[in-house]
Amino acid sequence: MTLLLLTGCAGGGGTKAPVDDYFARDMPGLPGQMSPVDNPVLEMRGLRHPPPAQVRQALLDEHERWLGTPYRLGGTTRRGIDCSALVQRVFAEAFGLELPRTTTQQVREGESVTRDALQPGDLVFFQPPGYYHHVGIYVGQGRFLHASTSRGVKISSLDNRYWRHYYWQARRPLDDVHLARRLDDIQYDRGEG
C-alpha cells in the first residue's frame, strides 16, 4: 500500500486508471460524500493503543496523581477537592476537555449510557441520602475514580453494596475514540508522544 501511495505521489503524467474510493462514493440516503476523517475505524488505526485501554491508563495515571487528596466540599486543589471538581480537573488535564463544575451541570453532558454499556471515561452518577449528588469516572472492570467524602480520592467498585444501591445514571461526554485522540494530542504537545 505504501508503495502504491509513493508511486502515486512521485508518478509523472500519464493516464491513471480510476480508483474505486469507498469514501468518495455517494451513499444512498446520505447527503454528499463520506470523509475518511469521519471514519472511526480509520481514527482508531492511527492510535498507538486501543482507545479503551488508552483512556483507562490515563485515568489510572490521574488516580496516582490525585491519590491522598482529601475530600473538601467546594475544593478544587490537591489540598482538598470535591467529586465534581475532580471530574472537571481530570478531564481538563488528561484529555483537554472542559466539563462544567457541578454534578447538576455534568449530568447534562454528552449522551446517556446504560450501566452494562459503560466504557472508560464515562461519568457515573449516584443519589446518596442528602442534598448533593455524587459523580465519578468509570475506569473499566466495574470500577470508578472519585473523591469519596470519607477517604478522599480513590477507586471504588460499582458492585459495592453502597454504590450499587445509590447508582443513578451514567453519561458519556465523549466516546473513547475521541478521548484517546485528545489524549494523544495532549501527549504530543507535551513532547511525550
Side-chain angles (χ1 to χ4, degrees):
M1 174 104 174
T2 304
L3 182 59
L4 291 174
L5 290 174
L6 291 174
T7 303
C9 292
T15 313
K16 295 183 183 177
V19 177
D20 182 23
D21 185 357
Y22 179 81
F23 293 104
R25 294 181 192 169
D26 288 325
M27 301 303 289
L30 295 176
Q33 299 174 340
M34 291 191 323
S35 164
V37 173
D38 297 328
N39 184 335
V41 173
L42 289 180
E43 285 184 35
M44 286 191 307
R45 287 183 191 149
L47 300 173
R48 289 184 298 237
H49 305 290
Q54 192 174 8
V55 170
R56 175 181 164 77
Q57 187 57 56
L59 293 170
L60 294 175
D61 291 346
E62 287 296 315
H63 172 250
E64 289 296 317
R65 289 182 50 218
W66 287 94
L67 189 63
T69 304
Y71 179 89
R72 191 175 92 218
L73 184 61
T76 60
T77 69
R78 286 195 175 77
R79 291 186 333 174
I81 195 161
D82 66 26
C83 63
S84 58
L86 178 68
V87 166
Q88 185 186 43
R89 293 282 307 266
V90 165
F91 270 82
E93 292 169 13
F95 306 110
L97 182 63
E98 296 298 323
L99 291 181
R101 170 64 180 89
T102 67
T103 55
T104 303
Q105 296 164 324
Q106 290 173 356
V107 77
R108 296 186 207 128
E109 288 295 302
E111 63 184 45
S112 181
V113 179
T114 62
R115 185 173 167 165
D116 60 342
L118 287 171
Q119 296 176 356
D122 290 345
L123 305 182
V124 287
F125 294 89
F126 305 86
Q127 288 184 314
Y131 179 76
Y132 298 103
H133 295 138
H134 189 69
V135 62
I137 307 167
Y138 187 71
V139 297
Q141 299 178 344
R143 301 188 179 285
F144 66 103
L145 169 64
H146 65 122
S148 160
T149 56
S150 61
R151 309 218 17 225
V153 175
K154 64 179 287 192
I155 292 180
S156 296
S157 172
L158 284 174
D159 290 329
N160 170 287
R161 187 172 58 184
Y162 180 86
W163 296 117
R164 187 174 58 234
H165 182 73
Y166 293 113
Y167 181 85
W168 176 27
Q169 64 173 298
R171 307 288 297 181
R172 181 168 296 149
L174 198 59
D175 64 81
D176 57 358
V177 170
H178 288 96
L179 281 178
R181 171 123 0 238
R182 293 179 76 93
L183 180 63
D184 272 354
D185 291 345
I186 287 173
Q187 288 173 342
Y188 180 80
D189 290 344
R190 291 179 186 157
E192 300 170 8

